[in-house]
Amino acid sequence: MMASTLYYAPGACSLASHIALEEAGASFETVRLNLMAGDQRAPGYLAINERGRVPALVDDGWVLTENTAILRHVARLHPALWPEAARDQAVADEWLAWLSTNHHVAYAHVRRPERYTTDEEAHPAISAKGVDTCGDLFTMTEVRLSNGGWAVGGRYSVVDPYLLLFWTWGRGPALRFDMPERFPHWTAHARAMAERPAVQAVFAREGLDLPA
């Protein structure tokens, strides 16, 4: 991979793409955005990603957004991060879809209820329902991880950093799940991730606490 630039925000969904690039040993630079300060809405960044969200990966003027697209792109360029068998590849795609269209959407209801109604009085109810939905979805993911090891076929892939992202959100201030107690298999996965040098490097760069 040619030298690229990843636009990210600490602890945001861009964490998954950040880890994947580090795992790949890719040549890349990073630009940190402060979402609370509104960096994602600054004209300079909107010229890169008109959606005003992270991540964005820029390579010689070519821009790619959305975690699942970036993860698959990194895996295509670095096949060691993608399963070999056709069925395992299908399962990896299934995981990426499951996490992006279920976990991420439910979490958005918790953090961004204003996206779903203009009635400010309804925001607390939307957020509360989002927490309940996240709990149900996390339980389903916990069951899928109950056999131990990596997510797909016993082999590390770009699915694993995406799983770690949502684990970190589970322990975070919006959900406040007791991850070791409620989701021990997922927590074992997160702890295994924390032993990987790439994860350690990215968490240090983003100022995040490793799973413990």
Side-chain angles (χ1 to χ4, degrees):
M1 180 183 288
M2 298 174 60
S4 302
T5 301
L6 177 72
Y7 291 79
Y8 79 96
C13 64
S14 49
L15 177 65
S17 292
H18 197 171
I19 293 172
L21 286 164
E22 191 74 29
E23 285 280 2
S27 176
F28 72 102
E29 300 174 347
T30 58
V31 175
R32 176 188 293 230
L33 301 184
N34 184 336
L35 302 186
M36 295 297 293
D39 289 354
Q40 73 278 22
R41 295 186 295 274
Y45 186 65
L46 291 176
I48 295 168
N49 182 3
E50 69 278 6
R51 301 185 184 107
R53 299 182 184 182
V54 293
L57 182 67
V58 180
D59 188 350
D60 194 25
W62 178 72
V63 180
L64 185 64
T65 65
E66 303 298 323
N67 259 319
T68 54
I70 294 172
L71 292 172
R72 289 290 281 115
H73 177 62
V74 172
R76 288 187 185 98
L77 295 174
H78 302 274
L81 297 178
W82 193 249
E84 294 181 353
R87 289 187 176 182
D88 285 343
Q89 292 177 9
V91 170
D93 282 325
E94 179 186 45
W95 266 116
L96 296 180
W98 165 249
L99 295 171
S100 64
T101 63
N102 291 279
H103 288 63
H104 204 156
V105 173
Y107 187 74
H109 281 75
V110 180
R111 289 293 307 276
R112 301 284 186 267
E114 68 276 6
R115 291 180 182 172
Y116 303 99
T117 182
T118 57
D119 182 0
E120 293 186 5
E121 292 184 358
H123 289 179
I126 291 173
S127 293
K129 180 59 177 175
V131 172
D132 289 343
T133 301
C134 283
D136 292 340
L137 295 170
F138 275 45
T139 297
M140 296 179 204
T141 293
E142 169 74 5
V143 172
R144 286 290 301 270
L145 293 172
S146 61
N147 291 328
W150 303 121
V152 183
R155 171 179 170 174
Y156 184 90
S157 72
V158 293
V159 172
D160 296 297
Y162 207 21
L163 278 163
L164 179 59
L165 162 68
F166 291 102
W167 186 92
T168 66
W169 284 0
R171 72 173 179 182
L175 294 176
R176 298 184 183 278
F177 292 157
D178 184 337
M179 297 300 290
E181 177 66 25
R182 291 185 62 177
F183 311 108
H185 297 293
W186 198 348
T187 297
H189 177 276
R191 288 170 175 164
M193 289 289 291
E195 296 177 1
R196 300 182 71 86
V199 174
Q200 295 169 7
V202 169
F203 270 60
R205 191 176 299 136
E206 296 201 9
L208 306 176
D209 293 329
L210 287 165

